[in-house]
């Protein structure tokens, strides 16, 4: 296990299929590898059914059950970053083709056989042309693929569709679904990954875990395939308490909404963006202003409160519980009338809890700093 500062990070792909990638990540530390895993699972945007309007439901399943199953159906989300907007970023009032997609499901059974209602029955409806969009125009529609927003595997004869429910003769299901963009931090339905396997130190050289066994630990805890990538330790090898893991084995399996290659590449880009935002936020005010002046951009207001906020007023030497006129608690009760500047007095100009302009704990009035309404 070599130091991470000596070699550059490398990625070696061992297996790549339509919905799965297995690779080895080397010369990085544990924090980076785990952050990369978490970003791929929860920070990549996809599209999923977010709102369901049930018009007819004569099946044996309740509306909430069907709505939940519809929300978990994976939808094709390739190039989701540029192909659709977040609803919170769109200027429309009630949905538009730039931030949403409409799916329709209308199925009825007319024979004596049980009918399976699957994701293949979902149809994408075009947005009404006569409806006023009231949104800023953009290029999102031109960057979508042919089947963007369609259920995964609908146009693939080799893929099995997702079962929604089963209906019998005389039963009918008609729902209207609204598809929106989101990430898995909001809900798991927006996660592009169905499973992400993560392993390091297959021989447990670092003793990061303890095996419970009855007789023989090697027989009861067999090694996996990743152990072939490393050299087996000797029985008399001393324990290196300074060693750190630098080689990680990841197996990423997607649900079909994004390809494995897109998940890995966008995961790295998202992690890089998060680290860049962190570095940008940690920079001090003068350093940030100098960098902006060097780049020719305008200086943004600094968040360094200590350099802009006035120094707090010194506390009077009198005791907080004393009866002097400058006492923070004063010598009168809240119900008494007082003309002194006691903290609980009735004076609206000097009381510490009063509503005047100079009160330290007052409500934001028209004369308060930064709250001029």
């Amino acid at each position: 296990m070599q130091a991470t500062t000596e070699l550059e990070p490398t990625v070696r792909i061992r297996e790549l299929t339509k919905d799965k990638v297995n690779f080895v990540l080397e010369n990085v530390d544990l924090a980076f590898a785990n952050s990369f895993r978490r970003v791929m699972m929860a920070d990549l945007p996809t599209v999923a059914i977010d709102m369901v309007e049930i018009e007819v439901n004569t099946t044996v399943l309740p509306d909430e059950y069907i709505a939940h199953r519809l929300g978990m159906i994976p939808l094709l989300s390739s190039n989701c970053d540029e192909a659709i907007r977040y609803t919170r970023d769109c200027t429309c009032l009630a949905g538009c083709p730039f931030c949403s997609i409409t799916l329709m499901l209308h199925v009825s059974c007319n024979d004596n056989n049980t009918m399976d209602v699957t994701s293949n029955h979902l149809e994408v409806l075009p947005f009404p042309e006569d409806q006023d969009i009231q949104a800023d125009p953009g290029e999102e529609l031109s960057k979508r693929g042919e089947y963007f927003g369609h259920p995964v595997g609908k146009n693939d004869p080799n893929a099995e569709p997702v079962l929604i429910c089963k209906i019998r003769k005389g039963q009918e299901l008609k729902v209207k679904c609204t598809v929106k963009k989101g990430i898995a931090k909001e809900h798991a339905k927006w996660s592009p990954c169905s499973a992400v396997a993560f392993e390091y130190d297959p021989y447990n050289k670092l003793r990061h875990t303890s095996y419970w066994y009855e007789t023989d630990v090697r027989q009861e805890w067999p090694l996996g395939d990743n152990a072939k990538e490393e050299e087996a330790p000797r029985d008399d090898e001393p324990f290196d308490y300074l060693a750190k893991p630098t080689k990680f084995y990841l197996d990423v399996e997607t649900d079909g909404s994004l390809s494995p290659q897109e998940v890995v590449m966008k995961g790295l880009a998202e992690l890089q963006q998060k680290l860049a935002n962190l570095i940008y936020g940690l920079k001090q005010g003068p350093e940030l202003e100098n960098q902006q002046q060097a780049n020719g951009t305008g200086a943004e207001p600094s968040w360094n409160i200590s350099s802009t906020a006035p120094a707090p007023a010194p506390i009077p030497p009198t005791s907080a519980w004393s009866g002097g006129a400058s006492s923070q608690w004063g010598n009168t009760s809240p119900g008494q009338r007082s003309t002194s500047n006691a903290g609980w007095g009735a004076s609206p100009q000097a009381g510490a809890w009063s509503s005047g302009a100079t009160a330290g704990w007052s409500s934001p009035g028209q004369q308060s700093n930064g709250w001029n309404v």
Side-chain angles (χ1 to χ4, degrees), residues 12 27 34 36 39 79 83 96 100-101 124-125 143 170 172 181 187 221 229 235 251 259 301 320 368:
R12 177 167 52 88
N27 304 326
N34 189 52
F36 182 39
V39 165
N79 196 26
C96 68
S100 63
I101 302 174
V124 177
L125 297 182
K143 297 183 179 180
E172 182 183 3
K181 178 182 177 180
H187 195 280
W221 293 90
E229 297 279 345
D235 294 338
D251 194 338
S259 63
S368 302

Side-chain angles (χ1 to χ4, degrees), residues 175-367:
V175 297
K176 182 180 179 181
C177 308
T178 302
V179 177
K180 296 182 180 180
K181 178 182 177 180
I183 59 176
K185 282 185 176 180
E186 304 173 25
H187 195 280
K189 63 185 177 184
W190 280 300
S191 177
C193 301
S194 57
V196 179
F198 178 80
E199 184 183 8
Y200 65 93
D201 190 21
Y203 285 102
N204 198 25
K205 298 179 182 178
L206 304 179
R207 300 180 186 176
H208 59 273
T209 185
S210 298
Y211 296 125
W212 183 92
Y213 62 95
E214 295 181 351
T215 56
D216 190 359
V217 62
R218 295 183 179 179
Q219 293 182 358
E220 299 177 20
W221 293 90
L223 297 173
D225 295 336
N226 294 327
K228 301 177 183 179
E229 297 279 345
E230 299 185 9
E231 183 180 357
R234 303 189 309 270
D235 294 338
D236 58 346
E237 183 176 353
F239 173 65
D240 186 6
Y241 58 90
L242 296 178
K244 295 181 180 180
T246 59
K247 193 173 184 179
F248 304 91
Y249 310 94
L250 288 91
D251 194 338
V252 180
E253 182 179 354
T254 68
D255 59 2
S257 58
L258 297 178
S259 63
Q261 181 180 1
E262 192 172 3
V263 169
V264 174
M265 297 303 296
K266 287 189 175 182
L268 289 173
E270 181 67 21
L271 183 58
Q272 184 180 11
Q273 180 67 28
K274 288 180 178 292
L275 295 176
N277 293 336
L278 179 61
I279 296 175
Y280 182 83
L282 291 177
K283 286 188 176 181
Q284 299 295 329
E287 180 182 355
L288 186 59
E289 293 177 0
N290 294 336
Q291 182 178 358
Q292 291 175 346
Q293 293 176 0
N295 297 334
T297 58
E300 297 182 358
S302 174
W303 289 92
N304 191 356
I305 302 178
S306 61
S307 61
T308 58
I315 300 176
T318 57
S319 173
W321 295 93
S322 64
S326 61
S327 171
Q328 298 294 324
W329 292 89
N331 59 348
T332 58
S333 61
Q336 296 176 348
R337 297 182 179 179
S338 175
T339 58
S340 62
N341 58 345
W344 288 90
S347 175
Q349 300 296 329
W353 290 83
S354 64
S355 59
T358 59
W361 292 86
S362 63
S363 301
Q366 296 183 354
Q367 303 298 329

